Amino acid sequence: MEHTPPAQNGEQLLASAMRTSISRGEIDVILWHDGFELTGLDDRQIAMIPGQFATAADLARLLGIPEADIADAR
């Protein structure tokens, strides 16, 4: 059987899966003064990404998610 590659590359597939999980509330995005955190079930940290964002809207635009999906903990 011949392998048919997906229409998206791996990065795009992973980004899409993360956005879907965020929209379903399976992953939380928390904005801190020095970056943002992704947490999963039972508040387990998935990643802490350093950086500064003026507003939650700025982070939402970067991630391609609604601002309402970001908890601003600054």
Side-chain angles (χ1 to χ4, degrees):
M1 179 150 118
E2 188 176 322
H3 173 73
T4 303
Q8 297 176 312
N9 66 35
E11 245 179 70
Q12 292 167 326
L13 289 169
L14 183 57
S16 178
M18 290 291 288
R19 286 187 191 100
T20 298
S21 293
I22 290 167
S23 72
R24 292 179 178 170
E26 299 164 346
I27 293 176
D28 293 323
V29 180
I30 306 164
L31 177 59
W32 300 100
H33 72 285
D34 59 349
F36 67 96
E37 179 180 20
L38 300 173
T39 60
L41 299 174
D42 298 325
D43 290 326
R44 290 183 186 222
Q45 187 180 67
I46 297 170
M48 180 66 185
I49 295 95
Q52 293 184 336
F53 300 89
T55 66
D58 292 337
L59 177 57
R61 269 191 299 281
L62 173 72
L63 299 177
I65 62 174
E67 184 179 352
D69 288 341
I70 297 174
D72 193 339
R74 292 176 296 164

